[in-house]
Amino acid sequence: MMKNVIKVSLLLCAFGFFREMRPSEPFVAEFYAAEEWRNATIERVNREIYPAGTYSYMVQLILVFLITDMVRYKPIIILSALCGIIMWAIMLWTEEYYWLLVIQGFYGTFMAAEVAYYTYMYAKCERDDYQKVTSHTRAAITAGKFLSGLLAQLLYSFEIMNLRELNYISFATQIISLPLAILLPSVSTSLYFHKKSDDIESPVIVIKSISNGNGTPSHMTKQQQQHGNGKFSCNNALTLIKFHFIESYSNKEVLYWSIWWFLATGGFIQAQTYAQILWKDIAPENENLYNGAVEALYTLFATLAALLAGFINMKFFHKHHLWIITGSSLIQGGLIIYTGLTDNIMIAYAIYVLFGTMYQFMITLISASVAKQLADDSFALIFGVNTFLSLVFQSLFTVIFVNGLELSPTYQYVVNGTYFLVLAVIYLAFALVENYNFKLHLMRRPVIDKEGNKMIQFKF
């Protein structure tokens, strides 16, 4: 068993490292707009190419999530590697503009397929190994992103490679990831469509039992237990998905955290996606690009922030979480507005790192808090739903402000920053209501009279 865990962990780490090793990405907007290569113009990148990627990712996410569970993860991980190879092959050996839009279709699949990578480890490994395997794979992904940005910056700054040639490295790393995906051991069960019997008895019986007020699953025969023993069951899967969804979002704290999760993530993805376009708008003639170094620094500081979040007193966070969310949203909104208005590229770089670090710190705290409130197997579903909702909000932002009103990158960031300020106001209202209800609760004191009747006494 230990050898199997080590094998899975090593393969997942290697796959995650090479998948994230894409040194062409920090300069992709520059590459698209460069006259000697794609000549798409930065305006078309802003209005057409990036929005196509956003819509593609959103449309495919839920579908890929369900298919991933149906086919038991590995085929989707392989598909992810194939999409990466196809994307960079098109990037390198085509010239027509419409191929850039085709790339965005594969980009949507490539990004949506991440869910297979993150859920595979939980389906393949025992619960006791979750923390170990998760830490290993996260470290590998972080290392891939950091080295990718650092390598891109060094190769570009020392003129060892131009923007097009960086794509060869990204293409090669995606090719390397393919055999690693194929070598991953197959999974016999999944979270929903191929549920094993010792994880859950029968979703229908469990839900009926709980809904009838029994509190615990009813007694099942051996034949009933075998019903979910890794065999495909669409009815059980849909019933369990519905149960996990309702049970999770019925928890008030999970709902509070999830609202911030998908709203803030939508704003974060929007800011991150269009950062290179903003930088190009701030310094259109700048040849001393530091995009790779900025991405490397962001990855480094975001990792340190995530590690720091692990040492935060969660009791303190849970007690003051609404105020903390309010404050962080306020600061993030101010940062985004300022980076949209500045004409100093170095300030824009610094704010990008700071804003991303703050987001990663908060999302680590909130996702960990959500996970603790959920049933063992429902986190993947809630993660998928929250991510999908964040993409819906990002798509609405893109439709209205990028494609509809055709705002410049500057005003896109001003609107995005205002969005975070509104989010801060919403959570300030939540905090004030919670504070009022808490004080109202303290003012009430139950009193027992001489006959033993409970009365409510108000203390003013």
Side-chain angles (χ1 to χ4, degrees), residues 24-39:
S24 58
E25 287 207 338
F27 301 99
V28 67
E30 292 281 344
F31 173 68
Y32 284 161
E35 293 182 4
E36 62 268 40
W37 294 303
R38 308 304 308 210
N39 194 25

Side-chain angles (χ1 to χ4, degrees), residues 210 241-259 370 373-375 378 381-382 385-386:
I210 294 174
I241 288 172
K242 179 182 177 182
F243 173 63
H244 278 166
F245 182 88
I246 295 173
E247 182 189 44
S248 299
Y249 288 111
S250 296
N251 184 313
K252 185 175 68 173
E253 290 189 335
V254 170
L255 185 61
Y256 276 150
W257 293 326
S258 292
I259 290 172
V370 168
Q373 297 286 330
L374 299 177
S378 61
L381 174 67
I382 302 308
V385 171
N386 287 347

Side-chain angles (χ1 to χ4, degrees), residues 12 72 94 138-139 143 158 209 256 305-306 319 360 418 442 444:
L12 283 173
R72 287 172 281 195
T94 64
R138 290 286 183 181
F158 289 101
S209 175
Y256 276 150
K319 183 178 180 180
Q360 293 297 341
T418 304
L442 291 180
R444 297 180 177 181

Side-chain angles (χ1 to χ4, degrees), residues 189-209:
T189 61
S190 66
L191 294 176
Y192 292 106
F193 288 93
H194 301 270
K195 195 74 176 172
K196 59 184 179 180
S197 60
D198 58 347
D199 274 352
I200 189 167
E201 296 167 340
S202 168
V204 177
I205 294 175
V206 169
I207 294 165
K208 283 183 178 179
S209 175

Side-chain angles (χ1 to χ4, degrees), residues 395-410:
S395 298
L396 288 174
F397 188 101
T398 303
V399 168
I400 296 170
F401 299 109
V402 179
N403 295 136
L405 298 177
E406 296 187 352
L407 297 182
S408 67
T410 293

Side-chain angles (χ1 to χ4, degrees), residues 211-241:
S211 65
N212 288 334
N214 296 336
T216 56
S218 60
H219 175 73
M220 296 179 61
T221 65
K222 186 69 175 177
Q223 183 179 4
Q224 287 173 322
Q225 290 178 352
Q226 292 300 323
H227 178 71
N229 193 21
K231 295 180 181 180
F232 181 84
S233 175
C234 186
N235 182 55
N236 273 11
L238 295 177
T239 304
L240 186 56
I241 288 172

